[in-house]
Amino acid sequence: MFRLAVLCAESFERRKTLGVVVEAYSRLAYVGAHVTCCLKDNHNAGYAGRMVPGHVLCCSETDHLQAYADAAFSASFRGIPVVGQGAFLAGGCYAVTARTEEFEAWSGSSTRYGYWRADLQKQFNPELDPDGPFYELIWFSDCEGTIGSEAAVDLLADFREHSSTYRPPYEWYGETFEAFTRACSLAADSGLIDFW
């Protein structure tokens, strides 16, 4: 089942329990910036004051994904048109299509995800070089935002190039590496990776 564009109370409770969910989508249709209906139930007041236009994330379509990221992570946002900005970049909405494939790459503790990501950095990009491997994932929020298709193409190349040299200290690190390889493969196909 596709995630609702506006998080309902049940989803919010799940996120509080799990920490972070990372989902990848392929073959999405770009809708762009639109406000279908800005009501109390779907107005994202927390973001409205931190980007312009303020209602760019007020979409109530259940088959839409809202693309956004902290402005500090613009390298990870590549492939998503910027339709609003401030402290956050907004990319408008993407619609799920009949050809869209969804994959959950991570659902769990933000801390454990952070440990895995720190291991990637230690092994492949310790200086956090913007041109180095996995930069778009290492220098990105661990709890919310969207990675665009162009950034996913670069990440997929990194995952494929380094799969034979990655030395996971724990079995689940290797499983996570494989899951993110698949996530990047999907997102590279006209999709995105959504952290929530």
Side-chain angles (χ1 to χ4, degrees):
M1 183 170 128
F2 292 103
R3 181 175 69 84
L4 297 176
V6 178
L7 295 176
C8 64
E10 180 180 312
S11 296
F12 182 72
E13 288 302 315
R14 180 174 180 229
R15 181 175 177 210
K16 280 182 14 187
T17 303
L18 294 177
V20 67
V21 176
V22 181
E23 294 174 316
Y25 300 85
S26 67
R27 298 181 221 118
L28 296 168
Y30 184 64
V31 177
H34 69 119
V35 178
T36 55
C37 183
C38 186
L39 301 171
K40 181 181 175 185
D41 293 341
N42 73 323
H43 178 66
N44 286 295
Y47 297 104
R50 296 189 287 174
M51 69 178 74
V52 176
H55 296 280
V56 74
L57 291 180
C58 295
C59 175
S60 59
E61 299 292 328
T62 59
D63 65 343
H64 284 189
L65 298 164
Q66 298 170 353
Y68 68 97
D70 189 293
F73 308 129
S74 60
S76 305
F77 209 64
R78 288 179 299 112
I80 300 172
V82 176
V83 298
Q85 64 185 62
F88 281 82
L89 302 172
C93 288
Y94 285 79
V96 171
T97 69
R99 297 181 57 224
T100 297
E101 192 175 339
E102 177 185 1
F103 174 68
E104 188 174 273
W106 181 267
S107 179
S109 163
S110 296
T111 303
R112 284 175 59 102
Y113 170 73
Y115 289 151
W116 171 75
R117 192 172 61 170
D119 185 60
L120 273 186
Q121 181 178 358
K122 178 181 172 187
Q123 289 192 42
F124 299 109
N125 194 350
E127 301 300 320
L128 196 59
D129 177 1
D131 296 320
F134 304 108
Y135 178 79
E136 297 88 347
L137 189 61
I138 296 167
W139 181 244
F140 190 71
S141 173
D142 64 354
C143 64
E144 67 175 349
T146 311
I147 294 176
S149 59
E150 289 177 20
V153 167
D154 289 348
L155 284 167
L156 179 59
D158 294 339
F159 277 106
R160 287 179 174 164
E161 179 181 343
H162 298 289
S163 65
S164 64
T165 57
Y166 182 54
R167 300 292 176 252
Y170 305 102
E171 184 177 338
W172 70 267
Y173 277 41
E175 293 166 355
T176 304
F177 190 95
E178 290 172 14
F180 271 84
T181 303
R182 179 159 183 233
C184 291
S185 177
L186 289 177
D189 184 11
S190 302
L192 51 79
I193 300 173
D194 190 33
F195 288 65
W196 59 281

